[in-house]
Amino acid sequence: MNDKRKSSLKVALHGMDGRTYKTMVMYLQGPCKGAAAVVEDLDAEVDIIDADSINAKALLEQKLAENSSRPIIVLSLQELKLDNALYVRKPIKTVEMLEALSKAEALLAVKQKSNENVQTSKKLFINTDERKKTSKHQTAMHLDEGNFNAFIGSIPGLDVNDPKQFPNASYNPKEYFQGYFQSACLIAQTKKQVLHLNSGWKSLIIFPHNHEIWFDADDKQLRSFAGLPIKSLSGAGMSLTPASAHALSANRELDKFHNVDAFLWKLAVWSSRGRYPVALDIDRPVFLKHWPNFTRLIVTPHALRISALLIAGPRTLPDIAETLKIKPQYVFVFISAAHALGLVKQAKRQSDEIIQPPAIKKNTERQGLLTRILSKLRGNKS
C-alpha cells in the first residue's frame, strides 16, 4: 500500500455469509495491518466480491453496472481472468491481498486525476442529493432479542412460539397494507408507469424505473399502520392511479425516498409481527434462493444464521428454530420478509425432496398388479 495514504482504503464486502464477513473484517485489520477497512456500500472506494458465492455472477454484473470507476477485487478458489476486476486466489495470502489493494488504490488515483476537470460544484451537489436519498437504502438497524418484541409488536391471544399454536401463527399479506403495496409495485413495473397508491392515509408514489418509492410517513407511523388489517380501517379503501403532474412536480423531501426492496422488507416485518406467510406450509421445507442484501435491510435476530442454514439446504420452519436453538418467531419474521422479496420458496424441486426413482416406482406398480391377480386367482379356487 502507498505509505503516503493517511487512512485505510474503504472497502465493501459482497457475497459473504456472516461468519466469512466477520473473518474478512478481522483479516484486513490484523494480517493486512489496517490497509483496508470495511465500510457500508455507499461509502466504499473498492468492492471485494466472493466469486464462489451463489449469487457472485449477479453481484459482479451489478457492481460493474453501478459504478465503473470503483475498482473490484474478486476472491475465488479457481483462477479467473477478468478485464475489469483484480483477482486474488483463495485461500488468501496476505502478500497477494496487499498487492491487489495497492493496485486498486493506484486505479483510484488515476481515475481521480482524470476526473479533475469535471465541474466540482455540480458533482458535489448531485452527490449530496443522492446521499440524502440513499441514506434510506442502508441498513436501517440491527435488532437483538432484547428490543425485538417492542419493535415488531405482538398479536393478542397468540403465542407464536408455542408449537401447538403454529397452525394459527400465519398471516395473509393481502389483508394488510403489505399486500396492496406489492400488487401496486407489480402493476407499476409491468406498465412501466409512475403510480400513486392512495390509502386515504399517507401519500405513496412508486417510481418503477429506478426501483424507488416516495412515502410521506416515518418508520414509526408505518410500523403502526402496517400491523392493522385493512378491513378494520374506515374510509374509501385503497386505489391506484397514475401520478398526477402536480404530484410529480411537487418538491419532495429526499430523505423520504426508499429503495423498494428495503421498504417491502421492513413492511413485511411489521405486518407479520412474528408470524409466517399463509402461502407457506409450515410442515414442508423451504429454501433460500440467494443471500439477502443485508447492507440495505433490517437485520432481525439470527437472520444471518438462518440464511446460512437455508443456503445449505431446505428445512421446515420448526426445524430451523430447533437446529439453531432459537425462538420460532425469529424464524417466522425472517421468512416473512424474505418471502415478500421472493427470496424464499417452498421446496418443490426434485433435488429438494426425496422422490422415488422411476425404476423402483415401476417395479412397485408391477408388484401391486401381480398381488391383485394372485388374490383373484386364490379367490376363484376357493
Side-chain angles (χ1 to χ4, degrees):
M1 294 290 292
N2 189 349
D3 293 335
K4 295 180 180 181
R5 188 181 179 95
K6 296 181 180 180
S7 58
S8 301
L9 197 62
K10 298 176 183 178
V11 302
L13 305 180
H14 308 279
M16 303 179 189
D17 58 29
R19 183 176 181 181
T20 306
Y21 188 99
K22 292 179 181 178
T23 301
M24 181 58 68
V25 171
M26 292 186 290
Y27 176 77
L28 294 173
Q29 293 174 345
C32 291
K33 298 181 180 180
V38 178
V39 298
E40 291 287 349
D41 185 60
L42 180 67
D43 300 314
E45 300 169 300
V46 178
D47 291 304
I48 299 180
I49 299 176
D50 186 349
D52 299 327
S53 62
I54 294 177
N55 57 334
K57 183 178 179 181
L59 279 172
L60 184 57
E61 291 177 351
Q62 176 187 343
K63 286 302 168 186
L64 288 172
E66 277 182 1
N67 194 344
S68 58
S69 66
R70 190 192 291 192
I72 298 174
I73 298 175
V74 174
L75 314 177
S76 178
L77 291 167
Q78 299 180 349
E79 185 174 355
L80 301 174
K81 294 182 180 180
L82 302 169
D83 295 334
N84 300 313
L86 303 169
Y87 165 70
V88 175
R89 180 187 292 276
K90 294 194 298 187
I92 301 171
K93 295 181 180 179
T94 303
V95 174
E96 295 179 359
M97 175 57 81
L98 289 174
E99 182 180 356
L101 291 171
S102 293
K103 290 180 179 178
E105 184 178 356
L107 288 172
L108 283 172
V110 171
K111 291 175 180 178
Q112 182 177 4
K113 188 174 182 180
S114 66
N115 291 333
E116 286 179 352
N117 295 328
V118 177
Q119 296 179 4
T120 305
S121 60
K122 181 177 180 180
K123 183 178 179 182
L124 288 175
F125 176 77
I126 294 174
N127 285 345
T128 300
D129 280 358
E130 287 304 310
R131 179 170 291 273
K132 288 179 181 178
K133 286 174 61 177
T134 53
S135 64
K136 286 290 185 178
H137 297 183
Q138 300 181 57
T139 303
M141 65 180 65
H142 290 256
L143 295 177
D144 56 31
E145 295 186 12
N147 59 18
F148 177 77
N149 287 331
F151 182 77
I152 69 163
S154 59
I155 304 298
L158 175 65
D159 182 1
V160 296
N161 296 310
D162 181 2
K164 295 180 180 178
Q165 299 187 47
F166 283 174
N168 299 321
S170 64
Y171 83 108
N172 187 351
K174 294 180 181 180
E175 297 176 354
Y176 296 84
F177 183 56
Q178 177 191 338
Y180 289 87
F181 175 72
Q182 287 181 267
S183 297
C185 286
L186 181 60
I187 295 172
Q189 190 64 44
T190 302
K191 292 186 175 182
K192 299 186 183 304
Q193 184 179 16
V194 179
L195 297 178
H196 185 189
L197 179 58
N198 309 285
S199 63
W201 176 51
K202 298 289 185 177
S203 179
L204 188 151
I205 299 177
I206 304 169
F207 298 89
H209 301 91
N210 56 358
H211 205 60
E212 289 183 335
I213 66 161
W214 187 89
F215 186 49
D216 189 20
D218 57 33
D219 281 358
K220 185 177 180 180
Q221 293 171 317
L222 177 62
R223 186 163 66 242
S224 299
F225 187 69
L228 298 174
I230 295 300
K231 66 179 182 180
S232 67
L233 303 176
S234 59
M238 298 283 180
S239 65
L240 189 64
T241 58
S244 65
H246 173 72
L248 293 175
S249 62
N251 292 325
R252 302 197 173 281
E253 297 91 331
L254 294 175
D255 61 348
K256 291 185 178 180
F257 278 91
H258 302 256
N259 171 270
V260 169
D261 289 344
F263 183 83
L264 179 55
W265 179 281
K266 65 183 177 183
L267 182 58
V269 167
W270 291 326
S271 301
S272 75
R273 294 192 176 186
R275 298 169 293 176
Y276 61 90
V278 70
L280 296 178
D281 184 345
I282 195 172
D283 296 319
R284 288 179 54 204
V286 298
F287 63 93
L288 193 61
K289 294 172 64 177
H290 60 78
W291 192 266
N293 184 3
F294 285 118
T295 60
R296 290 183 172 184
L297 309 174
I298 292 176
V299 182
T300 54
H302 307 286
L304 299 178
R305 297 176 65 204
I306 296 170
S307 297
L309 190 64
L310 285 178
I311 286 292
R315 290 177 180 267
T316 65
L317 306 192
D319 182 50
I320 297 171
E322 177 62 27
T323 301
L324 298 179
K325 305 301 180 185
I326 60 177
K327 292 181 179 180
Q329 69 177 145
Y330 301 142
V331 178
F332 295 166
V333 75
F334 170 82
I335 291 297
S336 295
H339 185 263
L341 265 60
L343 300 181
V344 165
K345 299 290 184 181
Q346 200 93 58
K348 293 181 180 179
R349 304 171 302 183
Q350 184 171 342
S351 58
D352 297 333
E353 299 177 343
I354 300 176
I355 299 178
Q356 190 179 49
I360 297 177
K361 184 176 181 181
K362 185 177 292 185
N363 289 337
T364 303
E365 291 174 350
R366 288 176 179 173
Q367 186 177 358
L369 179 60
L370 289 172
T371 301
R372 290 194 295 274
I373 293 173
L374 288 173
S375 178
K376 289 183 179 180
L377 289 174
R378 288 172 185 155
N380 294 335
K381 286 182 180 180
S382 60

